[in-house]
mmCIF file of all heavy atoms in Angstrom:
data_model
loop_
_atom_site.group_PDB
_atom_site.id
_atom_site.type_symbol
_atom_site.label_atom_id
_atom_site.label_comp_id
_atom_site.label_asym_id
_atom_site.label_seq_id
_atom_site.Cartn_x
_atom_site.Cartn_y
_atom_site.Cartn_z
ATOM 1 N N PRO A 71 8.545 -1.712 0.389
ATOM 2 C CA PRO A 71 7.314 -1.067 -0.059
ATOM 3 C C PRO A 71 7.195 0.329 0.494
ATOM 4 O O PRO A 71 7.858 0.731 1.473
ATOM 5 C CB PRO A 71 6.231 -1.965 0.592
ATOM 6 C CG PRO A 71 6.889 -2.449 1.859
ATOM 7 C CD PRO A 71 8.331 -2.661 1.513
ATOM 8 N N TYR A 76 -2.476 0.197 0.204
ATOM 9 C CA TYR A 76 -2.574 -1.132 0.723
ATOM 10 C C TYR A 76 -1.423 -1.989 0.184
ATOM 11 O O TYR A 76 -0.640 -1.544 -0.673
ATOM 12 C CB TYR A 76 -3.885 -1.752 0.350
ATOM 13 C CG TYR A 76 -4.206 -1.641 -1.141
ATOM 14 C CD1 TYR A 76 -3.648 -2.536 -2.058
ATOM 15 C CD2 TYR A 76 -4.975 -0.580 -1.646
ATOM 16 C CE1 TYR A 76 -3.865 -2.397 -3.394
ATOM 17 C CE2 TYR A 76 -5.206 -0.453 -3.003
ATOM 18 C CZ TYR A 76 -4.633 -1.370 -3.891
ATOM 19 O OH TYR A 76 -4.861 -1.256 -5.231
ATOM 20 N N GLY A 96 19.534 -19.892 2.210
ATOM 21 C CA GLY A 96 19.931 -19.723 3.602
ATOM 22 C C GLY A 96 20.387 -18.338 3.920
ATOM 23 O O GLY A 96 21.196 -18.117 4.811
ATOM 24 N N LEU A 101 12.984 -6.468 5.497
ATOM 25 C CA LEU A 101 11.843 -5.602 5.204
ATOM 26 C C LEU A 101 12.281 -4.173 5.489
ATOM 27 O O LEU A 101 12.704 -3.830 6.594
ATOM 28 C CB LEU A 101 10.656 -6.000 6.085
ATOM 29 C CG LEU A 101 9.418 -5.088 5.930
ATOM 30 C CD1 LEU A 101 8.881 -5.083 4.512
ATOM 31 C CD2 LEU A 101 8.317 -5.472 6.917
ATOM 32 N N TYR A 120 2.400 -4.919 7.118
ATOM 33 C CA TYR A 120 2.781 -5.912 8.101
ATOM 34 C C TYR A 120 1.813 -7.049 8.188
ATOM 35 O O TYR A 120 2.170 -8.208 8.199
ATOM 36 C CB TYR A 120 2.933 -5.255 9.489
ATOM 37 C CG TYR A 120 3.911 -4.120 9.573
ATOM 38 C CD1 TYR A 120 3.711 -3.015 10.393
ATOM 39 C CD2 TYR A 120 5.113 -4.148 8.851
ATOM 40 C CE1 TYR A 120 4.602 -1.970 10.484
ATOM 41 C CE2 TYR A 120 6.041 -3.109 8.919
ATOM 42 C CZ TYR A 120 5.764 -2.039 9.737
ATOM 43 O OH TYR A 120 6.673 -0.995 9.821
ATOM 44 N N LEU A 126 0.547 -14.047 4.924
ATOM 45 C CA LEU A 126 1.123 -14.917 3.898
ATOM 46 C C LEU A 126 2.247 -15.792 4.444
ATOM 47 O O LEU A 126 2.719 -16.673 3.727
ATOM 48 C CB LEU A 126 1.646 -14.090 2.728
ATOM 49 C CG LEU A 126 0.595 -13.491 1.803
ATOM 50 C CD1 LEU A 126 1.206 -12.431 0.896
ATOM 51 C CD2 LEU A 126 -0.095 -14.590 0.974
ATOM 52 N N VAL A 136 11.423 -6.299 14.326
ATOM 53 C CA VAL A 136 12.373 -7.411 14.472
ATOM 54 C C VAL A 136 13.777 -6.871 14.791
ATOM 55 O O VAL A 136 14.477 -7.445 15.588
ATOM 56 C CB VAL A 136 12.431 -8.212 13.155
ATOM 57 C CG1 VAL A 136 13.562 -9.259 13.218
ATOM 58 C CG2 VAL A 136 11.109 -8.887 12.871
ATOM 59 N N LEU A 151 22.202 9.498 7.485
ATOM 60 C CA LEU A 151 22.957 8.655 6.588
ATOM 61 C C LEU A 151 22.936 9.196 5.173
ATOM 62 O O LEU A 151 23.987 9.274 4.496
ATOM 63 C CB LEU A 151 22.390 7.237 6.635
ATOM 64 C CG LEU A 151 23.026 6.185 5.746
ATOM 65 C CD1 LEU A 151 24.397 5.835 6.318
ATOM 66 C CD2 LEU A 151 22.157 4.952 5.671
ATOM 67 N N ILE A 191 21.068 -6.034 -20.896
ATOM 68 C CA ILE A 191 20.340 -4.942 -21.576
ATOM 69 C C ILE A 191 21.234 -3.712 -21.566
ATOM 70 O O ILE A 191 21.753 -3.281 -20.529
ATOM 71 C CB ILE A 191 19.013 -4.628 -20.873
ATOM 72 C CG1 ILE A 191 18.161 -5.899 -20.769
ATOM 73 C CG2 ILE A 191 18.282 -3.540 -21.603
ATOM 74 C CD1 ILE A 191 16.868 -5.702 -20.011
ATOM 75 N N PHE A 215 13.368 8.841 -4.485
ATOM 76 C CA PHE A 215 13.463 7.385 -4.392
ATOM 77 C C PHE A 215 14.801 6.850 -4.879
ATOM 78 O O PHE A 215 15.425 5.982 -4.225
ATOM 79 C CB PHE A 215 12.311 6.761 -5.196
ATOM 80 C CG PHE A 215 12.566 5.370 -5.682
ATOM 81 C CD1 PHE A 215 12.450 4.293 -4.793
ATOM 82 C CD2 PHE A 215 12.900 5.123 -7.014
ATOM 83 C CE1 PHE A 215 12.688 2.971 -5.274
ATOM 84 C CE2 PHE A 215 13.136 3.826 -7.467
ATOM 85 C CZ PHE A 215 13.020 2.759 -6.591
ATOM 86 N N ILE A 261 11.407 -9.252 -12.239
ATOM 87 C CA ILE A 261 10.385 -10.297 -12.465
ATOM 88 C C ILE A 261 9.235 -9.734 -13.270
ATOM 89 O O ILE A 261 8.940 -8.521 -13.202
ATOM 90 C CB ILE A 261 9.934 -10.915 -11.141
ATOM 91 C CG1 ILE A 261 9.349 -9.866 -10.205
ATOM 92 C CG2 ILE A 261 11.101 -11.625 -10.474
ATOM 93 C CD1 ILE A 261 8.913 -10.420 -8.868
ATOM 94 N N SER A 273 -4.444 -2.764 -11.520
ATOM 95 C CA SER A 273 -4.369 -1.441 -10.912
ATOM 96 C C SER A 273 -5.122 -1.475 -9.559
ATOM 97 O O SER A 273 -5.740 -2.453 -9.177
ATOM 98 C CB SER A 273 -5.042 -0.420 -11.830
ATOM 99 O OG SER A 273 -6.464 -0.563 -11.841
ATOM 100 N N GLY A 288 -11.883 -14.753 3.133
ATOM 101 C CA GLY A 288 -11.676 -16.069 3.758
ATOM 102 C C GLY A 288 -10.861 -17.010 2.893
ATOM 103 O O GLY A 288 -11.051 -18.247 2.998
ATOM 104 N N VAL A 294 -3.117 -18.843 -1.403
ATOM 105 C CA VAL A 294 -2.743 -17.581 -2.086
ATOM 106 C C VAL A 294 -1.240 -17.537 -2.322
ATOM 107 O O VAL A 294 -0.774 -17.183 -3.419
ATOM 108 C CB VAL A 294 -3.208 -16.362 -1.273
ATOM 109 C CG1 VAL A 294 -2.757 -15.052 -1.933
ATOM 110 C CG2 VAL A 294 -4.744 -16.362 -1.122
ATOM 111 N N LEU A 301 2.962 -17.276 -10.480
ATOM 112 C CA LEU A 301 2.855 -16.084 -11.354
ATOM 113 C C LEU A 301 4.260 -15.606 -11.771
ATOM 114 O O LEU A 301 4.827 -14.713 -11.138
ATOM 115 C CB LEU A 301 2.088 -14.972 -10.656
ATOM 116 C CG LEU A 301 0.609 -15.260 -10.390
ATOM 117 C CD1 LEU A 301 -0.050 -14.092 -9.620
ATOM 118 C CD2 LEU A 301 -0.151 -15.532 -11.674
ATOM 119 N N ALA A 336 -10.190 -17.463 -11.242
ATOM 120 C CA ALA A 336 -10.863 -18.781 -11.217
ATOM 121 C C ALA A 336 -9.882 -19.866 -10.783
ATOM 122 O O ALA A 336 -10.259 -20.765 -10.030
ATOM 123 C CB ALA A 336 -11.444 -19.110 -12.587
ATOM 124 N N SER A 365 -20.079 -12.725 9.636
ATOM 125 C CA SER A 365 -21.175 -12.441 8.722
ATOM 126 C C SER A 365 -22.482 -12.049 9.459
ATOM 127 O O SER A 365 -23.463 -11.676 8.830
ATOM 128 C CB SER A 365 -21.459 -13.670 7.827
ATOM 129 O OG SER A 365 -22.056 -14.710 8.588
ATOM 130 N N ARG A 378 -21.060 -27.978 15.219
ATOM 131 C CA ARG A 378 -20.028 -28.863 14.639
ATOM 132 C C ARG A 378 -20.621 -29.798 13.635
ATOM 133 O O ARG A 378 -20.038 -30.049 12.534
ATOM 134 C CB ARG A 378 -19.348 -29.640 15.754
ATOM 135 C CG ARG A 378 -18.366 -28.824 16.592
ATOM 136 C CD ARG A 378 -17.578 -29.650 17.569
ATOM 137 N NE ARG A 378 -16.682 -28.790 18.323
ATOM 138 C CZ ARG A 378 -15.482 -28.403 17.891
ATOM 139 N NH1 ARG A 378 -15.051 -28.810 16.698
ATOM 140 N NH2 ARG A 378 -14.719 -27.602 18.617
ATOM 141 N N ILE A 390 -13.994 -21.021 -0.797
ATOM 142 C CA ILE A 390 -13.518 -19.953 0.065
ATOM 143 C C ILE A 390 -14.577 -19.738 1.155
ATOM 144 O O ILE A 390 -15.752 -20.008 0.968
ATOM 145 C CB ILE A 390 -13.243 -18.653 -0.696
ATOM 146 C CG1 ILE A 390 -14.446 -18.239 -1.556
ATOM 147 C CG2 ILE A 390 -11.998 -18.785 -1.547
ATOM 148 C CD1 ILE A 390 -14.249 -16.930 -2.272
ATOM 149 N N GLU A 393 -18.117 -18.025 1.135
ATOM 150 C CA GLU A 393 -19.241 -18.751 0.502
ATOM 151 C C GLU A 393 -20.091 -19.476 1.569
ATOM 152 O O GLU A 393 -21.209 -19.876 1.268
ATOM 153 C CB GLU A 393 -18.721 -19.772 -0.499
ATOM 154 C CG GLU A 393 -17.964 -19.138 -1.676
ATOM 155 C CD GLU A 393 -17.236 -20.179 -2.519
ATOM 156 O OE1 GLU A 393 -17.155 -21.348 -2.094
ATOM 157 O OE2 GLU A 393 -16.776 -19.830 -3.604
ATOM 158 N N GLU A 420 -48.298 -30.479 -8.479
ATOM 159 C CA GLU A 420 -47.955 -31.907 -8.616
ATOM 160 C C GLU A 420 -47.099 -32.393 -7.446
ATOM 161 O O GLU A 420 -47.199 -33.562 -7.011
ATOM 162 C CB GLU A 420 -47.231 -32.133 -9.939
ATOM 163 C CG GLU A 420 -46.916 -33.606 -10.255
ATOM 164 C CD GLU A 420 -46.209 -33.762 -11.562
ATOM 165 O OE1 GLU A 420 -45.407 -32.875 -11.944
ATOM 166 O OE2 GLU A 420 -46.417 -34.808 -12.214
#
Side-chain angles (χ1 to χ4, degrees):
Y76 50 82
L101 176 61
Y120 301 145
L126 286 167
V136 174
L151 180 70
I191 304 175
F215 156 78
I261 58 182
S273 73
V294 176
L301 293 178
S365 72
R378 285 187 180 278
I390 52 178
E393 296 170 349
E420 184 181 33

